[in-house]
Amino acid sequence: MKEASSKPSSDRILIDVREPHEYTAGFIPTSINIPVSSQPDALFLSPDEFEERFGFPKPDTDKEVVFYCKAGVRSRAAANSAEQSGYQKVSEYRGSWLDWQKNGGKAEMP
């Protein structure tokens, strides 16, 4: 995960699915915030609706999407939603934010 965050790729999108107040307290560098609990329909929105709601483009379904949350529970739900909405390359950072912090990962702030 450290390599993914330090060497961003246009083919891989790191998605923090925690709520906005959790995200603003610190997030893994290069990640975007799509809160799965309060916005469960996010990946089912049209690209225009998505961008209007979140303020950035919807990730393309041909990109690899990697989800993380605080401890791994919400990231699993987000990964399932992504697969249901047509994403082909879906993965999770199972240890999520707690593992990132425990292992000395750098935290960014908005």
Side-chain angles (χ1 to χ4, degrees):
M1 186 54 63
K2 286 185 181 181
E3 184 177 330
S5 72
S6 66
K7 296 179 184 174
S9 166
S10 61
D11 294 326
R12 182 187 321 111
I13 300 163
L14 184 56
I15 303 173
D16 185 323
V17 299
R18 298 175 300 157
E19 291 304 303
H21 71 277
E22 294 173 284
Y23 181 78
T24 58
F27 57 90
I28 297 174
T30 75
S31 66
I32 60 173
N33 183 226
I34 304 174
V36 70
S37 295
S38 62
Q39 306 286 332
D41 64 337
L43 297 175
F44 294 95
L45 297 171
S46 72
D48 289 340
E49 291 174 308
F50 183 95
E51 189 161 359
E52 185 175 313
R53 187 181 295 181
F54 294 100
F56 53 85
K58 181 179 179 180
D60 293 329
T61 56
D62 65 339
K63 306 288 184 190
E64 178 185 6
V65 288
V66 181
F67 296 96
Y68 78 92
C69 57
K70 180 179 179 183
V73 176
R74 290 174 283 181
S75 63
R76 170 81 327 239
N80 287 336
S81 289
E83 289 168 344
Q84 291 172 1
S85 62
Y87 287 84
Q88 304 291 316
K89 303 172 197 163
V90 178
S91 58
E92 301 171 62
Y93 175 20
R94 293 203 185 260
S96 285
W97 181 248
L98 293 177
D99 182 68
W100 180 259
Q101 287 186 307
K102 177 181 153 192
N103 289 298
K106 178 184 172 200
E108 268 192 24
M109 308 288 267

